[in-house]
Amino acid sequence: MQTPSHIRVDHIAIVVKALDHAIPFYSQALGLQLERVEDLPAEGVKIAFLLAGDSGVELLEPTVPDTGVARFLGKRGEGLHHICMEVEDIQAVLDRLAAAGAELIGTPQQHPDGTLYAFIHPKSAHGVLLELYQKP
Amino acid sequence: MQTPSHIRVDHIAIVVKALDHAIPFYSQALGLQLERVEDLPAEGVKIAFLLAGDSGVELLEPTVPDTGVARFLGKRGEGLHHICMEVEDIQAVLDRLAAAGAELIGTPQQHPDGTLYAFIHPKSAHGVLLELYQKP
């Protein structure tokens, strides 16, 4: 069973209109260290990842109109999109959340690096789109 | 001058309708460790602080109608409210942000424990209400 000490904030995701404007704000002005910028055409986003202590900030710029991120930007404007918690045993946490009535968005998927991830619907997480990671 | 390595996510703040419902979700179901619950009548909120690795989650329940937190809940519903970054030299970071055109909300204030804090307006931080901490 997952214990509290094994959960950490992996990243905070922020939807922005243009990485070209947001990266200088969060890196040079605020002072976070830019780790990487990636173009993910299959997902319709460009992302920038900045380091913040044990966690990070992920800036998301939509590059095509028909994604959740693009719709979020169109409807709500720039702002906080989701938070991602790293856990040790994602299935155990998902089982506990489901038992507590939380609605999962699909089933856990896998990134190319082997990280398992899953999303909890905001309506069952007090308005927060919650992502979980289990790293290999 | 502030260097990137001296910034960390102190907490992620989430506005909720009722701590009584949100605390069990974030502690027992998700697995975060509940650190403390405080009633702050002067600020019109009750807060719960939960530990998440090097960072934390702050749940905010408005207790009076005329605060920013209460208006946020009425207008947008439950959800992500702000993120707080701890820095070493808050004035240096505020000066850099101001030089980059960011709008500060007032001037730095002090918590009873000596922590200095300040807020950056979301319109100048890509839609994110950004809090800064400098701990004593």
Side-chain angles (χ1 to χ4, degrees), chain A residues 27 50 52 85 89 110 113:
Chain A
S27 60
L50 301 104
M85 300 278 185
D89 182 345
Q110 194 162 24
D113 72 356

Side-chain angles (χ1 to χ4, degrees), chain A residues 7 24-25 50 73-74 82 85 88 95-96 107 111 129 135:
Chain A
I7 299 196
F25 177 85
L50 301 104
L73 181 63
H82 70 266
M85 300 278 185
E88 279 203 335
D95 290 347
R96 280 211 311 274
T107 54
H111 283 302
L129 177 58
K135 295 194 175 177

Side-chain angles (χ1 to χ4, degrees), chain A residues 7-44:
Chain A
I7 299 196
R8 54 175 278 281
V9 178
D10 186 85
H11 62 266
I12 298 161
I14 301 168
V15 173
V16 301
K17 288 179 194 163
L19 291 185
D20 286 352
H21 293 132
I23 290 172
F25 177 85
Y26 281 97
S27 60
Q28 290 149 33
L30 182 58
L32 302 180
Q33 186 185 340
L34 180 61
E35 189 189 57
R36 66 181 191 275
V37 179
E38 291 178 297
D39 191 356
L40 302 172
E43 299 179 32

